[in-house]
Amino acid sequence: MRVVVALGGNALLRKGQKGTYDEQFSNAQRTAKVLADIIEKGYELVITHGNGPQAGAIAVQNDAARDKIPPMPLDVINAETQALIGYMLQQSLRNEFAQRRIYREVIALVTQVVVRKDDPAFQNPTKFIGPYYTEEEAKKLMKKKGWILKPDPRGGWRRVVPSPEPIDVVEKEVIIKLLNQGIIPITVGGGGIPVIYEDGQYRGVEAVIDKDLASSLLARIIRADMLVILTDVDYVYLNFGDKENRQPLREVRLHEIKRYYEEGHFPPGSMGPKVLGAIKFLEAGGKIAVIGHLEKALEVIEGKAGTKITR
């Protein structure tokens, strides 16, 4: 079974951590064990990942050093994070494979993803990146830096940037060739490097593509059987913000999740893109989409945990 596994930000950075090299590499090693469990079960895996915390941190570093070193645009920052996170994951996986005597190759691929130049998202930033701030800190940053910051449903205030919808993957043929050779690709990291195509040329743009929507697009392109979205919550919930009345969804049909989505149950900056990615995958012919906790990845895939969405 061909499976696209989209790793959330907690694969490398957990809430409350500072984001040091040691913290992130330790998390990558834990994630590698989870992924190796899936591979040992015989699933054909494509790995994708988020980059919100890392992209935000690099953006802050760029801004802090702008008087000495010219800052890089967001598309370049995405390329940096693809290499950074890809390196940690592929090395951790290779080491885990060696311990288990799994003879598989894994490669992180710097990947470009096409968006539309006129996508309305460029006028309405919604994608959270970077560290969490207090409301007072956020207001100071908006005044001083000209950034847009909004309250994150997960707590605190964070910077938001445009998140246009992905429409194509530039390196799709390479990804398919790798899969056909039995190689495990780590791809569309952080949603992919956002590019537009005009006059026969690709050109990077200032944005961060949502990794769940990019993963859904990739799953459709490669005709995956299952889309697996791993995050830091056990289920998709109705009324998530209301702890007394929130309701976990364990198994749900496509028409039901679409209705809940249209009713506004899933915030655009957190669970919304995950659910929308699942909807788009299933509408295009995908068999199953599942959303659940990273630590229970194999159980989520096997239907023993998380939210299972079917047509």
Side-chain angles (χ1 to χ4, degrees):
M1 180 181 282
R2 180 171 287 183
V3 178
V4 172
V5 174
L7 302 172
N10 60 325
L12 268 90
L13 191 61
R14 293 159 192 265
K15 197 169 181 181
Q17 292 185 328
K18 292 181 178 179
T20 65
Y21 169 84
D22 288 336
E23 284 174 342
Q24 295 194 65
F25 226 116
S26 176
N27 290 332
Q29 290 167 339
R30 291 170 66 177
T31 298
K33 293 180 186 298
V34 170
L35 294 172
D37 288 342
I38 298 168
I39 291 160
E40 277 190 321
K41 289 286 186 175
Y43 292 98
E44 183 183 37
L45 215 59
V46 179
I47 301 164
T48 70
H49 60 81
N51 73 339
Q54 293 82 7
I58 293 173
V60 169
Q61 290 171 341
N62 271 251
D63 188 69
R66 67 185 309 121
D67 293 334
K68 295 183 178 180
I69 302 168
M72 294 290 117
L74 282 172
D75 55 313
V76 175
I77 288 174
N78 181 279
E80 291 182 55
T81 60
Q82 282 193 25
L84 181 158
I85 298 168
Y87 156 62
M88 291 185 177
L89 287 174
Q90 74 179 19
Q91 187 181 95
S92 298
L93 274 168
R94 279 184 174 275
N95 290 338
E96 188 66 26
F97 288 171
Q99 288 185 15
R100 301 190 190 201
R101 296 188 179 181
I102 298 173
Y103 301 104
R104 297 290 299 277
E105 292 289 338
V106 58
I107 183 69
L109 187 67
V110 175
T111 317
Q112 303 169 89
V113 172
V114 183
V115 301
R116 290 186 177 88
K117 184 179 181 179
D118 59 353
D119 192 304
F122 286 107
Q123 309 304 320
N124 179 33
T126 59
K127 179 66 177 172
F128 290 108
I129 66 169
Y132 291 81
Y133 300 100
T134 65
E135 184 175 355
E136 184 180 352
E137 289 171 332
K139 288 178 178 177
K140 286 180 181 178
L141 283 168
M142 285 189 277
K143 189 175 181 180
K144 182 179 179 182
K145 306 285 189 186
W147 293 350
I148 300 173
L149 288 95
K150 295 180 181 179
D152 188 321
R154 291 159 288 196
W157 287 61
R158 296 176 76 194
R159 185 182 175 189
V160 289
V161 297
S163 183
E165 183 175 358
I167 60 172
D168 197 13
V169 177
V170 177
E171 290 80 12
K172 61 191 175 205
E173 296 299 333
V174 177
I175 295 164
I176 291 168
K177 285 178 181 178
L178 290 170
L179 280 171
N180 290 340
Q181 294 176 53
I183 299 168
I184 301 164
I186 302 169
T187 184
V188 298
I193 301 166
V195 298
I196 59 171
Y197 185 75
E198 60 180 358
D199 301 325
Q201 301 285 311
Y202 292 107
R203 178 170 59 83
V205 290
E206 282 270 320
V208 173
I209 301 168
D210 185 88
K211 75 98 173 47
D212 295 309
L213 294 182
S215 302
S216 173
L217 172 64
L218 178 66
R220 284 172 263 154
I221 288 171
I222 66 170
R223 299 187 178 183
D225 299 294
M226 182 185 290
L227 173 63
V228 180
I229 298 175
L230 300 175
T231 182
D232 57 359
V233 294
D234 291 322
Y235 299 97
V236 176
Y237 288 88
L238 300 181
N239 310 311
F240 180 72
D242 185 347
K243 290 189 177 180
E244 290 185 5
N245 296 309
R246 69 182 185 181
Q247 177 186 343
L249 297 174
R250 290 178 169 83
E251 187 161 348
V252 61
R253 295 294 179 90
L254 176 58
H255 71 275
E256 294 172 320
I257 201 84
K258 282 183 71 175
R259 186 177 80 247
Y260 296 142
Y261 180 83
E262 289 162 4
E263 289 172 355
H265 280 279
F266 314 116
S270 55
M271 189 56 73
K274 294 173 174 52
V275 171
L276 182 58
I279 289 170
K280 287 178 177 289
F281 173 66
L282 293 170
E283 284 183 331
K287 296 176 183 177
I288 302 170
V290 291
I291 302 172
H293 202 290
L294 172 66
E295 300 287 352
K296 299 177 180 177
L298 186 57
E299 293 173 63
V300 171
I301 288 174
E302 293 178 340
K304 300 173 184 175
T307 298
K308 179 181 179 181
I309 310 166
T310 62
R311 281 182 290 170

